[in-house]
Amino acid sequence: MSAPVADTFPPIVFVHGNGDTAALWLTTVWRFESNGWPRERLHAIDMPCPLARDDDGIAQPGRSSSDDARRCVADAVEQACRRHGVAQVVLIANSRGGFAVRNFVANDGAAQVSHAILGGTPNHGVWADAGFRPGNEFNGAGPFLQRLNAGHGDGDETTPGPRWMTVRSDGNDKYAQPDGLWIGAPGRPTGVDADGPALRGAHNVVIAGIDHRETSFGPVAFDAMWRFLTGRAPATLQPTPADGTIELSGTVSGLHPQAAVHDNLPLAGATVEVHATDPATGERVGAPLYRHAVGSDGAWGPLATDSRTPLEFVISAPGHGTTHLYRSPFARSSSLVHLRAMRLADVDADADADPAADRDALALVQLSRPRGYFGVPRDRILLDGHPPAGLPPGVAGLSLAAVKVTDTAGRAVAAEFNGERIVGRAWPCADGHVVLLELHS
């Protein structure tokens, strides 16, 4: 077990995973704040192009190499050290973000890191097969991971210097499975199993039942992080709601201009409008709380609101649809309310297997869980009054569920997930509207 961190609360830099954004750390940051870690010392970074290349050595529009990701971490660490006048930071990463952390530490970054925590990082690959996508960053038999796992003469796979911890599931991580189902190769042995994220030389934590993203963003993973950093239990595992006014802000991104993938680059010219909504109906309440056309930095906000009001964010941008994002009340202030403009063509429409419903759909409403996956029968999930179609039982591996509205466009659609409830409106597909009910949990 690591020694407690000094009472000065070192800066923490959070690194997201493949295709994700810094916004996924929102509730984790709230948990740290709620236990006394100063908000100004918690930094979640965005990879500009967060998706890994198909082959790490071949340039690909809208995607990043392992070295691109390493440089992002290096820049963020340098900025945090300079801003706070410290020599070292803590790094906490999810999934692919752990590759970037390990790569940075292994390449002259060890002296700048006191602790490194890797949640769900597939340290020995999502697959380990020299004959299957050999140049991919996630191939445990490929050059990138072979180099990182080569060892340091003492049998350890961790770079000396920082104290290391990994967090993994006991068998519910979609990217630590012996069968290739979740990489599009069902029936093909991957050569990895649930132990894949563990590292020799690290404090390796196993948490029963959690999924790939919950290894970083769930409350039990937070408990492990806090104990590793401080040597004691946290006072609370859930964010403490703030009294009075809170402020929300973030950035707007969209589709990469040269590729049909979402990135984290600023989407200049997008318009953000925010409405308070009725918690029972999803209807807008009063005039817009906020409206702004974002500039070249993609920034929106701040919006002043409170921790009791559900919100609808409306994002409009050239080349995209009109995106309606419904959220339950925000417990605390945050600058990580990052928004993505979407197109209806990019929405997963496989909500059911009825062709007639496809033809007759007036609206499509998606339930999104960015900080975890839907587990059946592990979780209680209702969308428009019913368990969503298309969620397979067993290993939790889907973070989107959808319902096609065939009776009345514009009506209320409610979602419930393990106690969190969101109500939105079924905006019509015919006008290019994209509707998401996004969970905090």
Side-chain angles (χ1 to χ4, degrees), residues 242-259:
D243 294 326
T245 300
I246 64 171
E247 285 194 350
L248 305 176
S249 61
T251 59
V252 183
S253 62
L255 290 163
H256 190 275
Q258 298 176 311

Side-chain angles (χ1 to χ4, degrees), residues 17-257:
N18 195 44
D20 292 330
T21 82
L24 270 66
W25 294 107
L26 180 143
T27 53
T28 302
V29 168
W30 283 346
R31 289 183 176 103
F32 272 95
E33 289 179 20
S34 298
N35 283 278
W37 212 285
R39 180 184 179 193
E40 66 273 10
R41 287 179 168 255
L42 301 168
H43 306 282
I45 66 172
D46 273 309
M47 301 282 181
C49 294
L51 279 170
R53 295 173 176 177
D54 291 335
D55 187 307
D56 194 36
I58 300 175
Q60 192 173 4
R63 295 174 180 258
S64 56
S65 68
S66 59
D67 201 50
D68 294 333
R70 178 194 62 80
R71 286 194 297 269
C72 282
V73 172
D75 290 346
V77 169
E78 184 62 34
Q79 290 174 23
C81 287
R82 186 166 56 247
R83 175 178 176 179
H84 298 288
V86 299
Q88 291 187 318
V89 302
V90 172
L91 291 176
I92 300 180
N94 173 248
S95 194
R96 185 196 182 207
F99 289 170
V101 166
R102 293 186 65 197
N103 201 12
F104 164 68
V105 172
N107 287 277
D108 301 321
Q112 292 178 284
V113 181
S114 64
H115 295 68
I117 299 173
L118 314 180
T121 297
N123 287 305
H124 296 95
V126 176
W127 67 93
D129 182 346
F132 181 72
R133 302 176 68 187
N136 191 278
E137 194 175 312
F138 293 99
N139 190 343
F144 174 70
L145 282 178
Q146 287 289 297
R147 185 170 64 252
L148 278 187
N149 293 332
H152 301 276
D154 56 1
D156 285 350
E157 296 169 309
T158 53
T159 301
R163 298 184 178 96
W164 293 86
M165 182 174 82
T166 72
V167 181
R168 72 186 190 278
S169 176
D170 62 342
N172 196 32
D173 186 330
K174 65 185 288 188
Y175 296 124
Q177 297 295 322
D179 184 88
L181 173 67
W182 291 107
I183 59 172
R188 183 177 189 130
T190 62
V192 299
D193 58 22
D195 293 332
L199 286 171
R200 293 191 304 274
H203 174 56
N204 296 301
V205 175
V206 182
I207 301 175
I210 61 172
D211 64 46
H212 179 67
R213 287 179 176 169
E214 289 169 342
T215 59
S216 297
F217 310 121
V220 185
F222 168 75
D223 180 73
M225 294 176 191
W226 185 270
R227 291 171 186 269
F228 183 67
L229 294 175
T230 69
R232 61 182 185 272
T236 177
L237 296 184
Q238 298 300 339
T240 303
D243 294 326
T245 300
I246 64 171
E247 285 194 350
L248 305 176
S249 61
T251 59
V252 183
S253 62
L255 290 163
H256 190 275

Side-chain angles (χ1 to χ4, degrees), residues 128-393:
D129 182 346
F132 181 72
R133 302 176 68 187
N136 191 278
E137 194 175 312
F138 293 99
N139 190 343
F144 174 70
L145 282 178
Q146 287 289 297
R147 185 170 64 252
L148 278 187
N149 293 332
H152 301 276
D154 56 1
D156 285 350
E157 296 169 309
T158 53
T159 301
R163 298 184 178 96
W164 293 86
M165 182 174 82
T166 72
V167 181
R168 72 186 190 278
S169 176
D170 62 342
N172 196 32
D173 186 330
K174 65 185 288 188
Y175 296 124
Q177 297 295 322
D179 184 88
L181 173 67
W182 291 107
I183 59 172
R188 183 177 189 130
T190 62
V192 299
D193 58 22
D195 293 332
L199 286 171
R200 293 191 304 274
H203 174 56
N204 296 301
V205 175
V206 182
I207 301 175
I210 61 172
D211 64 46
H212 179 67
R213 287 179 176 169
E214 289 169 342
T215 59
S216 297
F217 310 121
V220 185
F222 168 75
D223 180 73
M225 294 176 191
W226 185 270
R227 291 171 186 269
F228 183 67
L229 294 175
T230 69
R232 61 182 185 272
T236 177
L237 296 184
Q238 298 300 339
T240 303
D243 294 326
T245 300
I246 64 171
E247 285 194 350
L248 305 176
S249 61
T251 59
V252 183
S253 62
L255 290 163
H256 190 275
Q258 298 176 311
V261 297
H262 284 94
D263 58 32
N264 293 325
L265 299 170
L267 187 58
T271 299
V272 176
E273 189 171 288
V274 187
H275 298 265
T277 62
D278 185 302
T281 67
E283 289 275 16
R284 295 171 178 176
V285 178
L289 301 177
Y290 177 89
R291 182 178 172 84
H292 179 67
V294 305
S296 59
D297 61 356
W300 77 272
L303 162 69
T305 182
D306 58 51
S307 60
R308 302 178 304 279
T309 302
L311 299 172
E312 175 197 358
F313 297 84
V314 185
I315 308 102
S316 305
H320 299 74
T322 301
T323 305
H324 302 262
L325 184 66
Y326 292 88
R327 303 284 292 267
S328 55
F330 286 73
R332 305 175 66 86
S333 295
S334 180
S335 60
L336 296 175
V337 188
H338 296 344
L339 308 172
R340 275 181 172 173
M342 302 185 71
R343 300 180 308 189
L344 192 60
D346 302 309
V347 170
D348 178 7
D350 295 328
D352 55 54
D354 183 356
D358 287 343
R359 291 192 301 270
D360 297 338
L362 300 176
L364 179 71
V365 178
Q366 286 199 122
L367 175 61
S368 172
R369 190 186 178 214
R371 296 164 191 85
Y373 295 94
F374 296 120
V376 178
R378 180 191 66 169
D379 301 315
R380 184 179 187 274
I381 315 160
L382 293 176
L383 181 56
D384 206 23
H386 304 281
L391 296 179

